[in-house]
Structures are given as C-alpha cells and as structure tokens.
Amino acid sequence: YPPRVTAFTEPFWAALAAGRLTTTRCTRCHEAMFPPRPICPRCLSRQVDWAPVSPRGTLYSHTVVHIAPEIFAAEAPYALGIVDLAGGLRIAMRVLGPPAGLRVGQAGNVVCLRHPDGPYFAFLADEAVHPAGPSPASISSAAISSAGASPT
C-alpha cells in the first residue's frame, strides 16, 4: 500500500513528508478538494493551486477493523474514520488510539505517520493515547501544520 506518487500528486506527498497537509483549491470558484485533483469537480476549471489544510478536525464517524488485511493484521483491532476538517473537507483516514475510547464529535488533529514506504496521515483525538500499532516514535512530534510552518 505505498503511496502512488505522480507528477501531479508529488507536491502533496512532499508536503506530507515535511509534516504539512495540503490539497488543491480551485482559483476560479475557491472549492477545496480532496484528494487533490487537477480539475475542479464544482466548476470544471483546470485552474487549481496547492493550498494548506488545517489539521484540526472532528470525528464524524468511525468503525473498528477486527479482521485486517495481512499487512495490517498485527495492528488489529484498529479504527478507520471519517473526519470533518476545520476547512470544510471531509476525509476518510486511519484513527489512532484505542478504538473503545473513540466517539463521534471527538476533536483532534491530523498527524503524519512515518512508514518505510512513505508518509501517510491519520487522526489523533485530543484525549487519545497512542495505539499498539505504530510506535509513538513513528508518529510525527506534532500535528501537521496548516500554514507551512514547522510542526510544533
């Protein structure tokens, strides 16, 4: 499950590796889109720019995976969820922390996880503790910054 890096998505993966979450935003109608796209789904414009995304969000929904694909079997049970980000995007992602402690509406941050095959992002609820899956050392020291500043 390594990231699929293309010429178009390379800025997204480079920013994520640096601890920043970005996506594309239409310069014509100002629609933010995720995953990043070269064409706006709202107005069909090809005029898109890369824009920072706030890491703050709330858990909209979640489910617990008990029987996982072989590559993730050692991490089961783990949670997957849908997160509403402060900038208006709704994104599906891994949810860190004990699944039993998660609740809809829980606030938190998107964090960058460092894996041998590349970075990816996950949601860490404010009250969550690190799961048995990724070690705390593999989780970036802070939330992904929203304005290109260094993670704090």
Side-chain angles (χ1 to χ4, degrees), residues 22 39 69 71-72 87-88 94 105 138 143:
T22 61
I39 299 173
I71 195 166
F72 300 115
R94 175 81 179 263
S138 70

Side-chain angles (χ1 to χ4, degrees), residues 19-91:
R20 296 184 317 274
L21 185 60
T22 61
T23 195
T24 48
R25 181 176 302 277
C26 179
T27 59
R28 185 171 164 203
C29 73
H30 307 289
E31 179 83 3
M33 51 206 111
F34 196 90
R37 297 180 186 118
I39 299 173
C40 176
R42 182 176 179 197
C43 73
L44 302 179
S45 172
R46 292 181 184 269
Q47 298 172 1
V48 297
D49 281 333
W50 290 95
V53 176
S54 171
R56 289 299 294 166
T58 56
L59 189 59
Y60 172 78
S61 180
H62 65 92
T63 189
V64 179
V65 177
H66 293 277
I67 301 173
E70 184 177 343
I71 195 166
F72 300 115
E75 298 176 36
Y78 59 88
L80 300 174
I82 298 174
V83 176
D84 286 335
L85 295 178
L89 294 171
R90 180 174 278 174
I91 303 176

